[in-house]
Amino acid sequence: MSELNEVLSRRQAINEGEIEGKRQCRIFNPYVEFKEFTRKQIQNLEKSFKTYDIDNNGVLDITEMKYMMEKLGSPQTHLALKKMIMDVDDDEDQMINFREFLMIFRKAREGTLETGNPLLDMYQKYMEMENIDVDDVGVKGAKNFFEAQVMKQSASNQQELEIKMEQEERRNLLEEKRKRLEAFKEKQAAFK
């Protein structure tokens, strides 16, 4: 009940002009704000975020956070989940949006999360999932992975390189599709 009173009194103070409310009209671009992550990492994190955003409202509430932590093999109590959310909840809505989700990974990477913090555990489990497994992707996949890592280290503008790689990937897919269509037409011609 006191939480509701706090929210209502804050809203009343904003309406009366006593305090200034937070402006929510800022445009969020994760590639600009989180330059320490590659485009691919941000895309993978966004995919993970959307996986656990069950009701597709753009935020993870406490139930969705609980589900996510269970799936990562690190179930948490209700109080621990509330503390996790409070640690990164900039807009104080008691939910985690995608920006705040990325903040978890920034804080873990910077080492500002204390040992034993469930957010740090989540980061470590996610990073374990990100590592390449040659048994899963095969030697060619590992070769491509390591070539990409070398290119990434030697490139001065990483985001430009990633955009070029995405474009090359799209061109390869289109070329492959065109070849399959030609092969199909050749086989189709044999039946006419």
Side-chain angles (χ1 to χ4, degrees), residues 74-158:
S74 182
Q76 301 295 317
T77 65
H78 188 77
L79 292 175
L81 289 166
K82 280 185 125 177
K83 183 182 180 329
M84 284 173 59
I85 292 172
M86 284 176 37
D87 286 347
V88 292
D89 190 17
D90 289 342
D91 55 7
E92 299 173 1
D93 63 353
Q94 298 171 358
M95 292 183 256
I96 294 182
N97 60 32
F98 183 57
R99 182 184 172 283
E100 294 163 343
F101 187 72
L102 288 174
M103 286 298 294
I104 294 169
F105 291 89
R106 173 183 277 169
K107 287 181 175 186
R109 192 178 239 191
E110 292 172 349
T112 58
L113 295 176
E114 61 212 38
T115 306
N117 187 323
L119 293 175
L120 185 60
D121 293 341
M122 182 183 88
Y123 170 76
Q124 290 168 341
K125 290 200 183 283
Y126 182 80
M127 294 315 286
E128 287 172 12
M129 292 179 350
E130 281 291 296
N131 290 334
I132 191 161
D133 185 357
V134 177
D135 291 335
D136 290 341
V137 297
V139 175
K140 185 176 180 190
K143 176 183 170 262
N144 292 340
F145 172 79
F146 290 116
E147 284 177 356
Q149 293 298 327
V150 169
M151 289 173 61
K152 182 170 66 173
Q153 288 178 352
S154 64
S156 61
N157 190 341
Q158 187 174 340

Side-chain angles (χ1 to χ4, degrees), residues 175-190:
E175 179 66 23
E176 190 177 306
K177 184 178 178 180
R178 185 188 60 76
K179 286 180 180 177
R180 283 195 316 259
L181 183 62
E182 284 178 13
F184 175 76
K185 286 182 180 180
E186 287 176 14
K187 289 178 182 178
Q188 186 180 26

